[in-house]
Amino acid sequence: MTRFIEDDDFNDQFLRTLTAATRDSADLGEALAIAERIVPGDFASWAREWTRAAEQSVVDADTSLGVDDTVSARRAYLRAAEYYRQASFYSRTDLDDPILHSSYSGHVSAFRSALPLLGHPVIPMEIRHGDVLVRGYLFLPDDSGQARPTIIQPAGYDSTAESGYITAAASALAHGMNCLSFEGPGQGGVLYEDRVTMRPDYEVVLTPAIDWLLQQKGVDASQLILLGRSFAGYLAPRGAASDSRLAALICDPAQYDFGAGVRKQTGDEVWQRLQDHDPTLDDDLALFLLAEPHKANGFRWRMTAHGVSSLSDYLRHMTTFSLVGLADRITCPTLALAGEGDFANTGQLDVFADALTVPVTRHEFTIAEGAGGHCEGLGQERFDQYVYGWLARTLR
């Protein structure tokens, strides 16, 4: 595939913005110009160029709004939201980083400025349920009150409730469906602002979110569809195992047991040292996990999301994210997906599918069809066609 930035990690992230262009949330020429100005391997350059583009997009949006050009204003605000999201991406290792806070604030502000211009009703959601905080948006095709199927999309590891417009809501609306996009512990502003970290028992997040959803007009209680993408390929089925109100579950990629993944990645010797809480293990892990800047950044923002300060504690916490003994409690038809070459694909699609007792469809997207990579990469139309076709057959 064409490389736009001579830095593999930067390039992979950049492709997400090219995907956003198909949802009126980026401009191809503008994005390519940004890519040319980014210095490979330079995190400061990455944040600076995306921030400049975001700020200019807000100016453009305000200018368009001032002359009642609401279409251009909407698109420019959505571009700004995407560019601000990118600006914050490598600054999430430290929750006190000023770049993280200014970029995240800009991301939310730009997105909310776009909401009145979308042409669709949008209902903000905020739930405080015990020690759980959930924030999001319910997007509706219209205000008729007609009961419709609803896509429920939890955020992933590095996404936000706002970015769910690109990854789910725009497509759901185009198909005449509602979409609830939300973030919880360890995600988006719930992490950055409220410092609530990731937890494996996602049922405590999903259940109150569905409770809230069913109180809203225009929601068909018999057609709730849970869509988990990226890390939510684990979170969604974990929540579904404790909630029987779902009509369908989609996991992309399907993930089953992170403990098995950690053991496979580290080997039996390191695995045993993890179990033994070997005090010398972190120094050894750092030699091959933190030596390269991009890899180090990736592990450190994940550690931040989990609220831990050492690699060994992070890996041990990951072993608690498991569907072992729970998957057979899922009660709805399930679509288990994987993308060829997806770094988040733990290779457990068949293990997950075999653990279910409900009808399950398995499908792997390929590089040859242009839908390889993380969450199908640039192949979002291929993803939509397959998923919504499966829903049409499954929900009748």
Side-chain angles (χ1 to χ4, degrees):
M1 182 175 289
T2 301
R3 294 179 71 191
F4 300 95
I5 305 176
E6 292 301 315
D7 179 307
D8 289 342
D9 202 79
F10 279 1
N11 195 68
D12 287 345
Q13 290 306 316
F14 176 73
L15 295 181
R16 295 173 66 177
T17 294
L18 297 189
T19 295
T22 67
R23 308 297 191 249
D24 283 343
S25 298
D27 179 80
L28 290 176
E30 193 171 52
L32 291 171
I34 296 167
E36 289 186 357
R37 297 193 296 267
I38 291 173
V39 179
D42 185 343
F43 295 137
S45 167
W46 174 275
R48 181 178 62 251
E49 296 305 330
W50 286 112
T51 299
R52 285 177 177 174
E55 291 172 345
Q56 183 58 54
S57 292
V58 171
V59 171
D60 293 343
D62 291 344
T63 300
S64 294
L65 195 60
V67 294
D68 293 328
D69 181 0
T70 57
V71 173
S72 296
R74 179 187 73 241
R75 292 173 176 174
Y77 283 133
L78 290 174
R79 294 203 308 273
E82 167 61 12
Y83 300 163
Y84 273 126
R85 183 197 66 78
Q86 286 283 36
S88 70
F89 191 83
Y90 294 100
S91 301
R92 293 170 297 126
T93 60
D94 179 2
L95 295 182
D96 293 319
D97 190 323
I99 294 176
L100 170 62
H101 285 281
S102 63
S103 299
Y104 175 70
S105 176
H107 169 68
V108 174
S109 176
F111 183 76
R112 291 183 178 174
S113 293
L115 293 184
L117 312 176
L118 287 180
H120 300 285
V122 183
I123 304 172
M125 175 186 75
E126 179 166 328
I127 302 169
R128 293 185 182 272
H129 185 77
D131 60 348
V132 175
L133 174 60
V134 188
R135 290 200 187 103
Y137 305 89
L138 174 60
F139 301 86
L140 305 164
D142 55 46
D143 58 4
S144 67
Q146 176 184 342
R148 300 176 184 271
T150 302
I151 300 289
I152 303 170
Q153 183 190 241
Y157 234 152
D158 57 39
S159 54
T160 64
E162 291 76 17
S163 65
Y165 175 77
I166 295 171
T167 57
S171 292
L173 291 169
H175 284 85
M177 298 184 182
N178 310 319
C179 182
L180 174 64
S181 171
F182 64 95
E183 61 194 24
Q187 302 166 322
V190 176
L191 173 66
Y192 309 151
E193 296 181 335
D194 295 275
R195 310 297 173 101
V196 182
T197 55
M198 191 72 72
R199 55 190 298 167
D201 52 342
Y202 204 71
E203 59 271 17
V204 303
V205 179
L206 180 64
T207 295
I210 294 179
D211 291 343
W212 177 90
L213 176 64
L214 292 179
Q215 295 173 13
Q216 311 307 311
K217 294 181 180 179
V219 175
D220 185 342
S222 69
Q223 294 196 315
L224 304 182
I225 303 138
L226 183 58
L227 169 61
R229 305 193 74 182
S230 193
F231 193 65
Y234 160 79
L235 299 176
R238 174 66 191 245
S242 296
D243 203 307
S244 61
R245 293 174 289 182
L246 299 168
L249 169 66
I250 303 162
C251 305
D252 177 37
Q255 299 174 65
Y256 182 67
D257 180 17
F258 281 95
V262 169
R263 186 166 190 169
K264 181 178 180 180
Q265 179 185 17
T266 61
D268 290 340
E269 179 185 351
V270 171
W271 174 261
Q272 190 57 53
R273 292 172 69 187
L274 274 174
Q275 309 313 304
D276 295 340
H277 290 256
D278 184 339
T280 68
L281 179 57
D282 276 292
D283 288 340
D284 293 340
L285 288 173
L287 292 176
F288 66 94
L289 294 183
L290 300 182
E292 193 276 319
H294 276 301
K295 184 179 285 188
N297 183 277
F299 274 104
R300 285 179 174 135
W301 69 250
R302 287 174 172 85
M303 289 159 58
T304 299
H306 286 260
V308 298
S309 57
S310 72
L311 280 169
S312 58
D313 283 343
Y314 165 67
L315 294 176
R316 273 190 292 268
H317 197 228
M318 286 303 296
T319 66
T320 66
F321 288 72
S322 176
L323 292 168
V324 175
L326 298 173
D328 62 352
R329 300 180 188 177
I330 294 172
T331 59
C332 59
T334 298
L335 177 58
L337 301 172
E340 182 182 4
D342 186 346
F343 68 85
N345 180 4
T346 57
Q348 297 181 334
L349 184 149
D350 288 331
V351 177
F352 167 74
D354 290 343
L356 301 178
T357 57
V358 292
V360 57
T361 302
R362 315 174 200 212
H363 182 75
E364 182 172 4
F365 295 93
T366 67
I367 294 172
E369 66 182 320
H374 185 47
C375 291
E376 292 67 60
L378 295 178
Q380 296 307 301
E381 295 300 325
R382 301 291 302 173
F383 172 84
D384 280 356
Q385 184 172 27
Y386 191 90
V387 166
Y388 284 96
W390 179 82
L391 284 175
R393 295 189 299 274
T394 302
L395 299 180
R396 299 296 180 188

